[in-house]
Amino acid sequence: ADTDASYSGAAPLPHDLPLPRRIWAEKRAQRDAGGTMSMRRELRRARTQDEHYEGFPEQRAQCNEVSRCSRERRWQEALHILANEPNPNPFLRAAVVDACAKSLQIDVALAVFNESPIKTRAAWNSMLLGYMWSRQPDQAERLLEDMRLSAVSPNEITYTTLISGHGMRGDLGRALEAFEQLRADGLPVSSIVYGALMSACAKAGDKAKAWQLMDEMEQAGFPPRISHFNSLIVSCARSSDEELARTALQKARDYGIRPDRIMYTSLILCIPSRSAADIDRAVALLAEMRVASIDVDTFSYNAVLHKAAACRDGQRFDELLAEMNSFGLPRNHGTEAAIAAMTDARILSQQRALDAVREQTPDEAVADTPVVAAVVDTPSAPAELPIGWASALDPTSGREYYWRMDDPTRTTTWERPAPW
């Protein structure tokens, strides 16, 4: 907390600061100076400003320790701290509720919440967060009504939690309802609230509403942050509106915001998947990231791999996968999904080639027709490998290597597997 207060602005850093902490503080200062402070961090600040520890100074250290447990999802340790305190104050109980709720231990959080003789607004908000994260929006709405009946008025954090939760579920309608209720209660609409609602628009693919909110936010005098521009780009992905997404990228540059890996990856997702030219533009964005000294990760490659699979370009897919392997990037679920999609595309291509041969050849001659050879001559050569096998080009030796996609160890072999 002291570091946040001392080094989040433009003040120079002490030269006697330990190197690891100095590097961290410099990165934090640069990020904050560029207007990219995370909304979650601002919400934490707002929470501490909303309620104070006045009257309960003796448990401030325990509250801070439980807060660290909350950030690291160590809810059992938070409960242990609470159990060792004979007379826990409302703020310590609220911190434990937050730790359990963020760990999705909703029943445990509710038990601590119900045992609290004084329920702070932070405790109510943490329970709301737990219900929304565990995809129980109806329970969250009922808790909001109980909150009002208990004479605890919702604040900006309350409604931001509801907007974000509904947005994660893709329920833009209920997110907009929470936004209008915030306005009806006379609460200020900050850039945090706008960002939460724009994220909900992005999840729902409502690019028109996302851009409308951006215009409203700018007119209200709030400078956009990188997260707002990410939401604008993601909102264009469902409709493959690459042009509008690139407009958002340029708008971010006009504000002096340097695009990051998430922004570029989101832009790749906005590119249509119709032809080889689309794959070329996606690959060009990977090269642009490297020129800008932005690390290209597995998620970025997955976005391009899915483009190649959707275009049924087996050769480009194998090249991209081999390139990803050459950089030592680990595969994840998205990579496996792309490989599965490419495998399905190859099987479909092979089946279509086989059907075409059968249509052009009399039934009696089908058995004597080199069907496999005809399929092998297609650009993606799907018939060369049996189902469940994949291959890639080794960039060092230039040889192809093979592996079974259902093999959890990903054991590769130089020997080509036998056909069906």
Side-chain angles (χ1 to χ4, degrees):
D2 294 337
T3 304
D4 285 351
S6 303
Y7 308 122
S8 60
L13 302 177
H15 292 286
D16 58 349
L17 200 64
L19 182 59
R21 190 179 176 192
R22 181 179 180 84
I23 293 174
W24 178 89
E26 287 177 349
K27 289 183 177 180
R28 176 63 59 85
Q30 292 171 2
R31 187 180 69 179
D32 294 352
T36 58
M37 182 190 300
S38 69
M39 292 183 182
R40 186 172 297 177
R41 182 164 164 242
E42 281 203 359
L43 284 175
R44 287 202 301 267
R45 285 187 173 183
R47 186 179 293 115
T48 57
Q49 293 170 0
D50 180 63
E51 297 180 334
H52 305 281
Y53 292 94
E54 295 177 2
F56 303 96
E58 68 281 356
Q59 295 176 19
R60 183 70 178 267
Q62 292 93 320
C63 289
N64 290 337
E65 180 60 31
V66 171
S67 295
R68 282 190 286 271
C69 293
S70 177
R71 290 192 293 272
E72 298 171 6
R73 307 300 186 259
R74 294 184 283 120
W75 62 277
Q76 297 97 329
E77 294 183 35
L79 287 176
H80 181 71
I81 294 172
L82 179 65
N84 288 337
E85 180 58 47
N87 296 304
N89 65 36
F91 299 100
L92 180 57
R93 291 181 184 273
V96 174
V97 171
D98 188 68
C100 295
K102 288 181 178 177
S103 301
L104 298 183
Q105 301 296 322
I106 307 303
D107 293 337
V108 180
L110 186 60
V112 177
F113 178 79
N114 290 333
E115 292 173 359
S116 303
I118 300 176
K119 298 176 175 61
T120 66
R121 184 186 285 109
W124 287 96
N125 288 339
S126 294
M127 280 305 307
L128 279 171
L129 180 71
Y131 279 130
M132 296 307 293
W133 281 13
S134 60
R135 300 183 180 273
Q136 301 182 57
D138 294 333
Q139 289 282 9
E141 295 288 352
R142 283 193 287 269
L143 187 70
L144 180 62
E145 292 301 320
D146 293 341
M147 182 179 182
R148 291 194 177 99
L149 293 174
S150 300
V152 179
S153 58
N155 62 358
E156 177 190 348
I157 299 173
T158 310
Y159 287 111
T160 304
T161 299
L162 291 173
I163 293 170
S164 300
H166 291 310
M168 286 192 299
R169 298 176 57 251
D171 193 342
L172 180 57
R174 295 181 75 170
L176 289 170
E177 289 176 4
F179 180 70
E180 294 303 327
Q181 186 62 52
L182 178 146
R183 281 179 162 170
D185 287 355
L187 294 171
V189 182
S190 68
S191 62
I192 301 175
V193 178
Y194 276 116
L197 190 55
M198 289 177 65
S199 179
C201 293
K203 183 76 172 179
D206 193 337
K207 57 187 179 183
K209 186 64 177 179
W211 279 89
Q212 177 189 336
L213 290 169
M214 173 66 86
D215 293 338
E216 288 183 13
M217 188 177 68
E218 289 177 311
Q219 292 173 7
F222 297 114
R225 302 164 185 257
I226 193 169
S227 56
H228 297 111
F229 289 107
N230 279 331
S231 294
L232 285 182
I233 294 175
V234 173
S235 69
C236 302
R238 182 172 294 185
S239 58
S240 298
D241 194 339
E242 180 186 356
E243 182 179 355
L244 189 59
R246 288 183 181 274
T247 301
L249 185 72
Q250 184 57 48
K251 188 178 178 70
R253 290 193 176 108
D254 294 341
Y255 267 97
I257 296 176
R258 179 175 179 266
D260 62 359
R261 180 171 55 241
I262 298 175
M263 189 177 290
Y264 272 106
T265 303
S266 301
L267 179 56
I268 292 173
L269 295 174
C270 297
I271 298 176
S273 303
R274 295 187 295 258
S275 64
D278 298 327
I279 304 175
D280 291 339
R281 292 199 304 279
V283 173
L285 287 176
L286 295 182
E288 187 176 326
M289 291 171 67
R290 292 193 176 94
V291 171
S293 300
I294 300 174
D295 292 334
V296 181
D297 64 359
T298 301
F299 295 96
S300 304
Y301 267 99
N302 286 347
V304 185
L305 286 171
H306 278 284
K307 298 294 175 192
C311 294
R312 298 175 184 172
D313 193 333
Q315 180 178 351
R316 294 294 296 277
F317 185 93
D318 292 341
E319 291 172 355
L320 288 166
L321 190 61
E323 182 179 297
M324 175 179 164
N325 292 335
S326 69
F327 283 111
L329 297 175
R331 298 180 182 182
N332 59 16
H333 178 74
T335 314
E336 303 304 326
I339 293 174
M342 188 68 250
T343 302
D344 292 341
R346 281 173 163 152
I347 294 173
L348 180 61
S349 178
Q350 177 183 346
Q351 185 60 48
R352 287 178 176 175
L354 183 61
D355 292 342
V357 170
R358 286 174 174 168
E359 289 177 2
Q360 298 174 8
T361 308
D363 294 342
E364 296 79 4
V366 169
D368 300 327
T369 302
V371 177
V372 174
V375 177
V376 168
D377 290 338
T378 61
S380 58
E384 291 190 4
L385 293 177
I387 296 177
W389 283 84
S391 67
L393 189 67
D394 179 44
T396 303
S397 64
R399 296 173 57 191
E400 273 194 312
Y401 59 94
Y402 310 90
W403 69 91
R404 287 190 61 89
M405 290 186 293
D406 58 357
D407 181 7
T409 63
R410 288 288 175 214
T411 303
T412 60
T413 177
W414 295 111
E415 183 179 355
R416 180 186 299 273
W420 300 327

